[in-house]
């Protein structure tokens, strides 16, 4: 009788089965993703179900960035001091800019459904006033500005220099 040979055979068989079924884990396929990563878009049916090839499932696409994602500087008029900013305003507002632009007392004095009015004092006591619609561009001395959008009483303004 080969009792010790049978025991060795059974031990080897059990060891091979343990290796073939995997060590630990949930029995799922290792797709190389780290813990906390998004799940794989491929599902693999088990062999016991009779299916032999994986099927591809659709993954929802990420939302595309909105064209009107908001101005870069929000409502922070202080960001305009250097002559470069993008802000949203919905009421008359004073905007302080550096004196090198030769524009003092810059103010948005009116915002309507279809226009924005900017006023300031220029060099030598000149009074400057500009009214622009959406997409319009203006300049007061050395400071340029554009009405990027007008929506629901809120204007998105971009200020720029040469």
């Amino acid at each position: 009788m080969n009792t010790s040979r049978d025991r060795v055979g059974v031990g080897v068989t059990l060891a091979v089965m343990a290796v073939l079924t995997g060590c630990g884990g949930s029995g799922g396929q290792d797709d190389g993703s780290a813990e906390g990563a998004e799940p794989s878009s491929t599902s693999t049916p088990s062999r016991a179900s009779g299916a032999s090839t994986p099927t591809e499932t659709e993954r929802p696409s990420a939302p595309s960035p909105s064209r009107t994602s908001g101005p870069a500087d929000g409502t922070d008029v202080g960001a305009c001091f250097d002559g470069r900013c993008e802000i949203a305003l919905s009421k008359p507002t004073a905007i302080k800019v550096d004196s090198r632009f030769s524009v003092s007392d810059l103010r948005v004095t009116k915002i309507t459904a279809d226009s924005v009015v900017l006023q300031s004092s220029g060099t030598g006591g000149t009074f400057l006033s500009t009214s622009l619609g959406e997409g319009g561009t203006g300049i007061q001395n050395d400071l340029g500005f554009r009405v990027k959008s007008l929506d629901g009483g809120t204007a998105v303004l971009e200020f720029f220099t040469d």
Side-chain angles (χ1 to χ4, degrees), residues 6-23:
D6 289 339
R7 287 184 190 162
V8 170
V10 170
V12 169
T13 302
L14 288 175
V16 169
M17 287 177 55
V19 169
L20 292 177
T21 59
C23 300

Side-chain angles (χ1 to χ4, degrees), residues 2-89:
N2 296 330
T3 308
S4 67
R5 184 183 269 176
D6 289 339
R7 287 184 190 162
V8 170
V10 170
V12 169
T13 302
L14 288 175
V16 169
M17 287 177 55
V19 169
L20 292 177
T21 59
C23 300
S26 61
Q29 181 176 348
D30 181 11
D31 62 0
S33 62
E35 183 178 329
E38 265 189 46
S40 171
S41 64
T42 302
S43 63
T44 305
S46 69
R47 299 224 183 244
S49 70
S52 61
T53 58
T55 58
E56 185 71 24
T57 58
E58 274 190 47
R59 175 180 285 175
S61 62
S64 58
S66 174
R67 185 175 78 90
T68 56
S69 61
D73 298 303
T75 58
D76 180 14
V77 295
C80 297
F81 186 79
D82 66 355
R84 295 184 183 278
C85 67
E86 184 179 297
I87 58 172
L89 299 175

Side-chain angles (χ1 to χ4, degrees), residues 137-157:
T137 301
I139 191 164
Q140 290 186 359
N141 289 341
D142 296 327
L143 183 65
F145 44 90
R146 178 177 303 114
V147 179
K148 291 189 77 174
S149 68
L150 275 168
D151 185 31
T154 298
V156 175
L157 304 173

Side-chain angles (χ1 to χ4, degrees), residues 115-127:
S115 69
V116 177
V117 177
L118 287 92
Q119 296 179 339
S120 69
S121 299
T123 54
T126 5
F127 175 76

